[in-house]
Amino acid sequence: MKQLFLFFVMALELFGIVIKSPIVGINEKATEVTIKVENIDVGVSGFIVHEIDKEHNIILKNAVVTSYDKNTQTAKVAMSEFNVLSNNALPNGKWKVQVGDMAILAFGYTRGLLIAPTEEIYHRITKNSKLQWVHPDLFATTLSFNGHPTPLRSDFEEMSTKSSVGLVFIYLDGRVFTLDAKSFKILTVTDAKLEQKEVNLPFYTRVPEIDSSWWKWFGEGNRKLKEYEPHYYELMIKANPQDRALYDIVKNSDEKLHKLLGKFDIKE
């Protein structure tokens, strides 16, 4: 068990490095760029940054790695609108992404949020890591504000933006799934066989009750979560429909999860 957690802690430390690489190519529709990088995982997110002058930079786009070629050491990076810091009172520049702009990836990977079914499991996983853990109470507060007793993918994205959380960790069936907080792509899966006697729904938190908005009662996420594992597996499947390793895990798990197999985009 100690060896398993030592491996897990070492893996966490590898996520603390921000990756910076200049853009070497842009596709015709200006929706994807190419960068040179020694190694990177698909799903790692970040930003495209343009240097205005030596003292001023501006974020132009959100960025997510969509593919990596280890032979050429190049990665394709999809871009999307960056509007987190938008302000109608401020002037808007007309800068466009161009070769030479900088892709800054794995931003916020020194801060993580762990979703765990019990307090004991939460503390067993977090106590030996140098990662800056954002307590799930803060996430529960975000859920109450949004009226979501059942966490949605959008809630994780909001938490990532507001608290600069780069990584989400979810404990399921003796494994810790490490995900990019924005893309929700699975970066690693680590064995962590811990005894689980109970389940706190929707996850371990000291917040006694997560409010539901009465005027949104029929909306997504507004009913209390009834089962822990199926919900979080489903969230991951939606973001990783072609992940063969995740498919095999679900297929070999409890029979109650087998209904989720149809949500994968994988041919047997």
Side-chain angles (χ1 to χ4, degrees), residues 41-45 64-66 152-154 156-157 168 170 177-187 220 230-247 250 260 262-266:
D41 291 320
V42 171
V44 172
S45 69
V64 177
V65 176
T66 56
L152 302 179
R153 165 87 179 275
S154 59
F156 285 101
E157 291 176 354
V168 171
I170 302 178
F177 293 83
T178 304
L179 304 97
D180 181 280
K182 286 189 168 63
S183 71
F184 232 60
K185 295 294 185 181
I186 298 172
L187 303 177
E220 189 179 9
H231 177 67
Y232 293 110
Y233 273 120
E234 185 169 5
L235 285 182
M236 290 194 296
I237 292 170
K238 286 181 179 179
N240 303 270
Q242 296 181 326
D243 191 310
R244 171 61 69 173
L246 179 60
Y247 178 87
V250 174
L260 297 175
K263 297 182 179 294
F264 283 94
D265 183 18
I266 292 178

Side-chain angles (χ1 to χ4, degrees), residues 53-68:
D53 55 46
K54 292 184 178 180
E55 296 182 355
H56 299 89
N57 297 317
I58 185 170
I59 297 175
L60 299 181
K61 297 285 185 179
N62 287 318
V64 177
V65 176
T66 56
S67 66
Y68 175 69

Side-chain angles (χ1 to χ4, degrees), residues 81-95:
E81 183 180 1
F82 177 81
N83 54 16
V84 174
L85 302 178
S86 61
N87 189 327
N88 293 331
L90 297 176
N92 294 319
K94 297 185 181 298
W95 299 282

Side-chain angles (χ1 to χ4, degrees), residues 23-60:
I23 294 172
V24 297
I26 305 175
N27 70 349
E28 292 183 2
K29 296 182 179 180
T31 57
E32 185 181 75
V33 298
T34 302
I35 62 172
K36 294 279 290 184
V37 60
E38 186 175 340
N39 188 34
I40 197 165
D41 291 320
V42 171
V44 172
S45 69
F47 313 102
I48 303 298
V49 175
H50 175 73
E51 183 182 279
I52 299 174
D53 55 46
K54 292 184 178 180
E55 296 182 355
H56 299 89
N57 297 317
I58 185 170
I59 297 175
L60 299 181

Side-chain angles (χ1 to χ4, degrees), residues 103-166:
I104 299 180
L105 303 167
F107 182 82
Y109 273 28
T110 57
R111 291 168 62 81
L113 169 69
L114 172 62
I115 299 298
T118 68
E119 180 179 7
E120 181 180 359
I121 290 176
Y122 178 85
H123 287 298
R124 288 286 300 277
I125 292 174
T126 59
K127 69 178 181 179
N128 293 318
S129 171
K130 294 181 181 179
L131 198 73
Q132 298 176 35
W133 292 102
V134 175
H135 200 278
D137 287 358
L138 294 177
F139 187 46
T141 302
T142 297
L143 295 177
S144 283
F145 184 81
N146 293 339
H148 291 165
T150 295
L152 302 179
R153 165 87 179 275
S154 59
D155 296 317
F156 285 101
E157 291 176 354
E158 182 178 342
M159 180 70 180
S160 173
T161 299
K162 288 183 176 179
S163 302
S164 297
V165 174

